[in-house]
């Protein structure tokens, strides 16, 4: 969520003008204190900008949080659908198979054994489905090893060589780390699927107030946030944690995706 900074600029301008008026007043010998009127006007202007800025901040916050609620609802629907079509269906089949095996156990042990083996295979597949769903919500490696190592592990599995430099703070909130991880994962996925790149890089740059993540590749370029759902989904996910996404991808490349996340209040 990008917030305006007009009040700060307006305040500086008003202070400079007020100082100039006071200097002119002093140089011209004083008398009637006419700078009071210009200072009053500038105060009203500054107050108006503060009000507009506050209104814009509230509007942006409401829009961002409404989008976050909508995305959460959509994510819950996706998880429910994945569980229903995957693990739940396999577990129902597992229950039926074990019931049949139980009925055959006394009369046909060999057939019952085959059904038990089939049930074991189904149980393993159901566990794989559950792991896939959990990974899409919060990857275990992210919880166990942190954002930096999770991205390095992700890079190792890609067909395109990826260099990871720098390190994010270890104390990132779970929501921020998850948003950053899936942003990088989507970017690297696009590199592999669409860019025809021969190499890529991920750089973590930490300042006093911001974590900047730059994902760059030497591919053919042409990436556009408005052209598909992947980058747009990243931007929306980042917006929920006050992050921003910037894409620079001219035709012919290279492509550079910059993610910025605030670190204010993170110890």
């Amino acid at each position: 969520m990008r917030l305006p900074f007009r009040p700060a600029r307006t305040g500086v301008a008003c202070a400079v003008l007020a100082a100039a008026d006071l200097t002119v007043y002093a140089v011209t010998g004083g008398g009637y204190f006419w700078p009071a009127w210009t200072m009053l006007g500038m105060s009203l202007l500054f107050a108006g900008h503060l009000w507009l800025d506050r209104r814009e901040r509230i509007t942006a916050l409401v829009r961002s949080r409404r989008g976050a609620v909508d995305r959460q609802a959509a994510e819950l629907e996706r998880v429910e659908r994945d569980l229903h079509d995957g693990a739940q269906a396999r577990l129902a089949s597992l229950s039926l198979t074990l019931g049949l095996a139980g009925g055959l156990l006394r009369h046909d042990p060999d057939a019952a054994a085959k059904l038990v083996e089939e049930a074991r295979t189904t149980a393993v597949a159901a566990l794989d489905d559950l792991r896939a769903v959990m990974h899409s919500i919060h990857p275990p490696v992210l919880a166990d090893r942190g954002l930096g190592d999770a991205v390095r592990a992700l890079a190792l599995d890609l067909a395109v060589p990826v260099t990871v430099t720098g390190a994010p703070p270890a104390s990132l909130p779970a929501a921020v780390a998850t948003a950053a991880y899936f942003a990088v994962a989507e970017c690297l996925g696009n590199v592999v699927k669409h860019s025809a790149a021969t190499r890529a890089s991920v750089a973590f740059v930490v300042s006093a107030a911001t974590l900047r993540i730059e994902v760059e590749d030497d591919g053919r370029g042409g990436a556009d946030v408005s052209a598909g759902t992947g980058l747009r989904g990243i931007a929306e996910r980042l917006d929920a944690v006050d992050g921003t996404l910037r894409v620079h991808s001219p035709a012919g490349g290279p492509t550079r995706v910059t993610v910025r996340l605030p670190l204010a209040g993170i110890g």
Side-chain angles (χ1 to χ4, degrees):
M1 180 172 57
R2 194 180 298 277
L3 296 174
F5 295 93
R6 290 176 305 193
R9 295 197 297 266
T10 303
V12 171
C14 288
V16 170
L17 290 174
D21 279 356
L22 290 172
T23 301
V24 172
Y25 174 76
V27 169
T28 56
Y32 175 72
F33 191 64
W34 55 265
W37 295 104
T38 55
M39 293 173 67
L40 176 61
M42 288 184 290
S43 298
L44 292 174
L45 176 63
F46 182 59
H49 273 211
L50 281 177
W51 180 81
L52 288 174
D53 180 70
R54 179 178 176 82
R55 181 178 178 182
E56 186 170 347
R57 286 171 180 265
I58 292 174
T59 301
L61 182 62
V62 170
R63 182 171 59 249
S64 173
R65 296 307 179 252
R66 184 183 297 122
V69 170
D70 291 342
R71 287 190 298 276
Q72 184 180 34
E75 184 71 5
L76 288 174
E77 290 179 2
R78 182 193 63 79
V79 170
E80 181 182 8
R81 184 174 61 252
D82 289 348
L83 290 174
H84 179 272
D85 296 341
Q88 182 176 331
R90 293 186 189 278
L91 290 174
S93 175
L94 173 63
S95 176
L96 178 61
T97 301
L98 289 175
L100 293 174
L104 291 173
L105 189 59
R106 294 182 179 178
H107 307 291
D108 193 345
D110 292 338
K114 291 180 180 179
L115 289 176
V116 170
E117 179 60 25
E118 180 181 333
R120 189 191 69 82
T121 302
T122 301
V124 171
L127 286 174
D128 289 340
D129 288 341
L130 288 173
R131 289 192 189 99
V133 172
M134 293 303 298
H135 188 276
S136 69
I137 298 172
H138 189 73
V141 67
L142 186 59
D144 296 340
R145 300 170 58 186
L147 177 60
D149 286 341
V151 169
R152 287 179 171 83
L154 177 67
L156 290 175
D157 293 333
L158 298 178
V160 176
V162 179
T163 302
V164 182
T165 58
S171 56
L172 285 174
V176 174
T178 301
Y181 175 83
F182 281 113
V184 173
E186 179 67 26
C187 291
L188 292 179
N190 288 340
V191 170
V192 173
K193 292 184 289 186
H194 306 302
S195 72
T198 59
R199 59 181 177 81
S201 64
V202 179
F204 294 101
V205 182
V206 180
S207 67
T210 306
L211 168 63
R212 188 174 81 250
I213 308 172
E214 294 185 350
V215 183
E216 187 170 356
D217 68 74
D218 64 350
R220 56 192 170 207
D224 187 355
V225 175
S226 62
T229 59
L231 289 175
R232 187 166 63 248
I234 291 176
E236 292 174 351
R237 183 189 286 267
L238 292 171
D239 188 57
V241 292
D242 293 339
T244 62
L245 176 75
R246 181 181 178 185
V247 179
H248 179 72
S249 184
T255 294
R256 181 185 296 110
V257 179
T258 303
V259 173
R260 292 181 184 273
L261 292 159
L263 297 180
I266 297 176

